[in-house]
Amino acid sequence: MEWLDEYPAEGRALDVGCGYGYNAAELQRRGLEVVGFDVSPAAISRAKVIHPRLSLEVANAVGLSDAWKSSFDLVVEIYTLQVLPPALRARVARSLRDCVAPGGRLLIVARGRDEHDPEGAMPWPLTRRELEELENESFTLASFRDFMDDEDPPVRRFVAELVRASE
């Protein structure tokens, strides 16, 4: 939410792996038209009870709807990529990037690690290079934050914002 305080967004937002819908509800409260999805039918069922005015659906990030391509001004991914095996993670990250409309943003929040650090166990921390590899002729890594959170013990986090060029 700190990111949204600094970079207010408008338009349509996609909440990836929305779980019980709390982030989607916050995005909606801030004036965005939100679609949230999760792979878990139980999570979406519960989220619809908690947040009946949200647009929520069961979907798998591996095979997102073609109707979502280039459709969202903001795509928010928080702690979903890090639970995917590395080989699948890059494919899903590109799929999420494809959902961003021209001029829109992809926000990724994840555990972080250096390239030389061991991958560890799930949730597998991402590396900065993995996020930089999402850059291409249409997407630029506009901001990147690397910090230790306030958990006990502290956990390293990355917050990356990729911006799609306007067409």
Side-chain angles (χ1 to χ4, degrees):
M1 294 308 119
E2 289 175 13
W3 182 89
L4 279 173
D5 290 340
E6 194 170 329
Y7 302 98
E10 56 184 33
R12 294 187 75 214
L14 180 64
D15 184 13
V16 177
C18 67
Y20 290 159
Y22 293 108
N23 290 332
E26 178 63 19
L27 293 166
Q28 184 180 60
R29 186 190 71 76
R30 291 173 181 251
L32 290 146
E33 178 188 337
V34 181
V35 173
F37 79 89
D38 200 286
V39 71
S40 168
I44 291 298
S45 178
R46 180 71 182 138
K48 286 180 177 182
V49 171
I50 298 168
H51 310 285
R53 294 183 10 198
L54 285 176
S55 174
L56 303 167
E57 48 189 275
V58 175
N60 188 327
V62 174
L64 294 176
S65 168
D66 285 341
W68 287 356
K69 289 188 189 262
S70 300
S71 295
F72 295 94
D73 302 293
L74 176 63
V75 174
V76 177
E77 185 286 308
I78 301 174
Y79 307 143
T80 301
L81 289 175
Q82 68 185 27
V83 299
L84 301 174
L88 186 56
R89 181 186 303 155
R91 180 173 152 206
V92 169
R94 287 189 303 271
S95 179
L96 298 177
R97 185 185 63 193
D98 291 345
C99 293
V100 178
R105 301 166 189 265
L106 169 60
L107 180 67
I108 298 173
V109 180
R111 289 175 179 248
R113 68 177 176 88
D114 288 326
E115 291 288 327
H116 63 275
D117 291 341
E119 287 184 359
M122 187 173 72
W124 298 285
L126 277 65
T127 64
R128 181 172 181 147
R129 187 173 75 177
E130 286 179 284
L131 298 170
E132 290 171 343
E133 287 174 351
L134 291 172
E135 289 186 292
N136 63 18
E137 64 281 349
S138 298
F139 280 85
T140 302
L141 184 62
S143 67
F144 181 83
R145 186 169 168 224
D146 179 347
F147 65 99
M148 297 300 286
D149 66 18
D150 57 4
E151 290 186 20
D152 187 19
V155 175
R156 187 176 182 189
R157 305 281 180 189
F158 290 162
V159 177
E161 173 198 10
L162 290 118
V163 176
R164 182 174 177 183
S166 299
E167 293 181 342

